[in-house]
Amino acid sequence: MTTGTRLGRAPAHLLVPALLGLVFLLVPLAALVARTPFRGLPQRLTDPVVLDALWLSLWTATAAMAISLVVGLPLAWVLARVDFPGRSVVRVAVTVPLVLPPVVAGVALLSAFGRSGVIGAPLRDLGISIPYTSTAVVLAHVFVALPFFVVSVEGALRATSREYDEVAAALGAGRGRTFFRVTVPMALPGIVAGLVLGWARSLGEFGATITFAGNFPGITQTMPLAVYEALSTDPEAALTLSFIMLVASVLVLALLRERWFGEIAR
Amino acid sequence: MTAFLDAHVVVRRPEFDLDARLTAEPGDVVAVIGPNGAGKSTLVRALAGLVPLDAGHVTVGGETWDDGAGRALDVRERRTGMVFQRQLLFPHLTALDNVAFGPRSRGVRRSEARRLAQGWLDRLGVGDLAGRRPAHISGGQAQRVSIARALATDPRLLLLDEPLAALDVGVAMALRVELARHLPGVHGVSVLVTHDALDTLTVANRVVVLDQGRVAQVGTPHEVAQEPQTEHVARLMGLNVLRGRSSGTVVRLADGTDLVTATEADGEVNACFGPQAVSLTHEEPVGSARNHFRGTIRSVVPHGSAVRVHLDNPAGLIADVTPASAAALDLVPGRRVWAAVKATEVTVYAVRDLTR
């Protein structure tokens, strides 16, 4: 028995657009899979350029998440648990990079960390140059992925009731102990979900990276950049790389749904 | 000589003001009763330090916890234990680690904290559940663990906010016995917020009645049960209390009706009688029952082996009748009946003014 038998059939003027939307989302993905030259896959996977890009993407995204965890978790906690004037302004500031065009993010990063930037110029005097290095890739990733992480973790922290903080305090725990022993363990599913979301966002990052870090194979050329370059020189390679990233994305999604979203829902 | 717990809690809220005094000695179990919105939970939260005082003071064992002028100890610096209706056990910790959390937070070594925790779980009868997570124990067991958790910190002030309200009747009864056994042993004062007359009568040795943010009555459970000063407490105790002005043996009620009693009194009084003293009839009663009221039945509910009938006149009158007579009289909501009370069944006592 379906709900349709009780409330009547779903009307065509809703079903048809729904179907159109679904088809539009699925056809390009299916086409990508269909056109991927699977025979060449083993060679492609051992191609140094591909391996470099894959490795760079993986470690920079992971490093970006490590940084996001260290600064983003306390930031999310402050937003969720500390009452201070101007909190809503801070929250908006944190979410601006979410809606900012990634290229603009890259230009903003250049303005700050570029050779003549507000932070970049003093750093250059110390002999440190960030743009067009792997560090720049990581910074670009942090800049675009941190808001994802903070927003999702703040939501998780708000979902775990403040009452537990009160219980911990009444039992004699300071805020630091409460944070590590109560708040974080209880929000762990949300924190992990935030990390996975941010990681996926990092993996797909293109605009901020190419603007701020450039496109140097082995140093700043991540997977999306490699795909973009291959598209003009070697379309088959572009398809293969795209397929690999599709698989990675689906894996992330599966991980999120199976392990963490399920747990939150329970 | 000031009391061990000497509190004057003043909290101003847009919706109401709480202004309540509370004193108690170690070993006292103070029941706080009153209708919803009377300020019971706010009182408890203010004592715990979760709500700052706007005025007044809280001192415990000679130590000032809050001076009402902004100088107050943090929640964690107060030696309180809290037990909530929704246990609020940490879901990611085992029962043992939940109980050990307090001692650990106060600097006790892990092994010692666990030994302590196991001891408290044993005392509350849930020692065998030490390794379980809260999701895998029943509500009653969880409440035992949460009581053990509160007691394990050796609190000077144990605050219990309706700890039995969410439990099944049988489970609550068993736990009530545990509370009656353990609370007087606390090295401080226990404050028990409750909606249940049984809690008040069996666990507490003192009762504070709150009404609209003010203390309406204080006394022993027996005193409060015998001579309730507010309609809410009368209801809680299952009694009818009508307020009026007595002159000789006649009490004139607020609506102008006269109630004849067997006790002579003058001035503002409460007239109190049990629901079993009320008889219901269809015809206007004649005979020895001197007082009768005509009212409409609002509800009819089973109450133990009797049937409890609520009437709208006089306001909220309750009458207990046998199921047989309830059926014979065809007592259903909306029916108009006569309620009769014998003068000798009515207890009259003076209204006490507790406004300070």
Side-chain angles (χ1 to χ4, degrees):
Chain A
M1 201 168 76
T2 65
T3 51
T5 59
R6 286 194 192 165
L7 297 175
R9 289 170 57 96
H13 59 270
L14 292 180
L15 278 183
V16 171
L19 204 64
L20 270 175
L22 184 67
V23 167
F24 179 73
L25 289 177
L26 290 183
V27 165
L29 298 181
L32 170 63
V33 174
R35 292 197 53 194
T36 302
F38 287 101
R39 265 183 308 159
L41 203 58
Q43 290 114 292
R44 295 285 180 198
L45 278 174
T46 51
D47 179 347
V49 174
V50 173
L51 276 183
D52 280 352
L54 189 58
W55 171 240
L56 185 73
S57 275
L58 292 178
W59 85 252
T60 51
T62 307
M65 278 311 98
I67 294 170
S68 295
L69 185 65
V70 171
V71 299
L73 185 53
L75 181 53
W77 179 80
V78 168
L79 287 175
R81 288 290 203 278
V82 183
D83 299 310
F84 61 92
R87 177 160 66 173
S88 52
V89 177
V90 174
R91 188 176 291 125
V92 169
V94 167
T95 43
V96 164
L98 270 182
V99 292
L100 202 65
V103 180
V104 179
V107 174
L109 283 167
L110 272 178
S111 316
F113 297 99
R115 296 167 68 80
S116 56
V118 282
I119 301 171
L123 280 179
R124 193 180 55 171
D125 295 339
L126 296 169
I128 302 168
S129 180
I130 291 176
Y132 314 115
T133 63
S134 301
T135 309
V137 177
V138 175
L139 289 188
H141 286 181
V142 171
F143 191 77
V144 297
L146 184 60
F148 270 88
F149 178 74
V150 171
V151 167
S152 109
V153 171
E154 195 204 338
L157 291 178
R158 286 184 177 283
T160 64
S161 146
R162 229 175 158 137
E163 288 169 304
Y164 287 97
D165 287 22
E166 297 179 353
V167 174
L171 288 168
R175 289 198 96 165
R177 179 175 163 80
T178 303
F179 176 79
F180 286 111
R181 299 288 161 154
V182 177
T183 314
V184 167
M186 287 185 68
L188 199 58
I191 293 169
V192 172
L195 282 177
V196 175
L197 273 177
W199 194 77
R201 176 69 185 85
S202 288
L203 218 56
E205 165 48 35
F206 179 85
T209 312
I210 202 163
T211 311
F212 180 48
N215 184 13
F216 306 113
I219 302 168
T220 69
Q221 191 181 70
T222 56
M223 286 288 278
L225 273 54
V227 170
Y228 179 71
E229 189 168 289
L231 214 48
S232 54
T233 55
D234 184 356
E236 284 211 344
L239 280 169
T240 313
L241 291 170
S242 299
F243 177 74
I244 294 168
M245 291 191 65
L246 175 64
V247 171
S249 307
V250 171
L251 281 179
V252 164
L253 197 64
L255 199 70
L256 275 176
R257 291 187 69 90
E258 294 299 314
R259 183 154 176 80
W260 299 107
F261 285 174
E263 197 133 311
I264 293 165
R266 229 184 288 143
Chain B
M1 164 100 194
T2 37
F4 177 81
L5 166 65
D6 180 9
H8 180 197
V9 175
V10 179
V11 177
R12 298 194 183 94
R13 288 282 170 79
E15 54 287 15
F16 79 109
D17 282 359
L18 172 67
D19 185 339
R21 286 172 190 274
L22 189 63
T23 58
E25 296 302 331
D28 276 349
V29 180
V30 183
V32 178
I33 57 179
N36 287 330
K40 304 186 298 292
S41 289
T42 306
L43 173 66
V44 162
R45 289 174 64 80
L47 290 172
L50 295 167
V51 171
L53 295 190
D54 288 312
H57 63 269
V58 175
T59 67
V60 176
E63 190 182 28
T64 300
W65 284 10
D66 196 329
D67 68 358
R71 277 185 301 277
L73 292 186
D74 280 349
V75 175
R76 69 189 188 94
E77 295 166 322
R78 304 178 181 210
R79 296 193 56 183
T80 55
M82 292 190 82
V83 177
F84 305 84
Q85 181 178 338
R86 307 186 299 118
Q87 301 92 32
L88 296 178
L89 293 177
F90 301 127
H92 58 290
L93 298 180
T94 61
L96 186 75
D97 285 335
N98 261 283
V99 180
F101 188 92
R104 285 287 288 149
S105 298
R106 293 177 195 273
V108 176
R109 280 184 304 112
R110 182 186 298 271
S111 56
E112 173 65 9
R114 291 200 160 177
R115 200 187 55 74
L116 248 166
Q118 185 64 54
W120 278 109
L121 287 175
D122 290 341
R123 253 163 276 172
L124 268 300
V126 283
D128 54 328
L129 303 176
R132 299 241 202 122
R133 297 265 179 99
H136 298 116
I137 59 181
S138 72
Q141 291 164 340
Q143 197 55 288
R144 283 167 186 258
V145 174
S146 99
I147 292 166
R149 180 172 70 174
L151 289 171
T153 55
D154 189 21
R156 292 296 166 265
L157 195 54
L158 179 62
L159 305 165
L160 306 105
D161 196 350
E162 301 196 34
L164 308 180
L167 303 176
D168 291 340
V169 177
V171 176
M173 187 54 85
L175 206 47
R176 195 171 288 125
V177 174
E178 296 283 350
L179 288 179
R181 194 166 84 201
H182 290 289
L183 296 193
V186 171
H187 299 127
V189 173
S190 301
V191 176
L192 171 68
V193 172
T194 180
H195 264 304
D196 191 318
L198 266 178
D199 292 348
T200 313
L201 295 171
T202 57
V203 181
N205 67 332
R206 285 164 43 72
V207 181
V208 171
V209 181
L210 278 188
D211 194 22
Q212 293 175 13
R214 299 290 186 278
V215 175
Q217 190 173 6
V218 284
T220 65
H222 186 71
E223 286 163 2
V224 173
Q226 291 294 305
E227 303 191 348
Q229 292 280 345
T230 66
E231 193 191 323
H232 174 78
V233 175
R235 287 276 161 277
L236 204 60
M237 299 298 168
L239 297 171
N240 290 297
V241 171
L242 304 175
R243 186 166 288 198
R245 191 156 191 90
S246 181
S247 163
T249 58
V250 177
V251 180
R252 172 145 300 171
L253 303 178
D255 64 358
T257 10
D258 283 344
L259 186 71
V260 182
T261 75
T263 323
E264 285 201 29
D266 283 298
E268 282 289 307
V269 295
N270 287 316
C272 176
F273 48 92
Q276 69 287 342
V278 182
S279 57
L280 300 180
T281 52
H282 283 307
E283 304 301 323
E284 182 164 2
V286 285
S288 61
R290 296 284 305 275
N291 302 298
H292 37 265
F293 311 95
R294 187 142 169 80
T296 304
I297 296 176
R298 283 202 317 214
S299 72
V300 180
V301 291
H303 186 82
S305 59
V307 173
R308 176 154 290 185
V309 182
H310 289 249
L311 297 186
D312 65 345
N313 178 59
L317 187 86
I318 51 178
D320 281 355
V321 297
T322 62
S325 55
L329 289 167
D330 191 20
L331 299 179
V332 290
R335 184 170 291 271
R336 286 178 71 75
V337 291
W338 285 94
V341 186
K342 287 181 186 172
T344 49
E345 301 272 11
V346 182
T347 313
V348 174
Y349 52 92
V351 171
R352 271 180 248 139
D353 187 13
L354 279 164
T355 350
R356 288 186 255 192

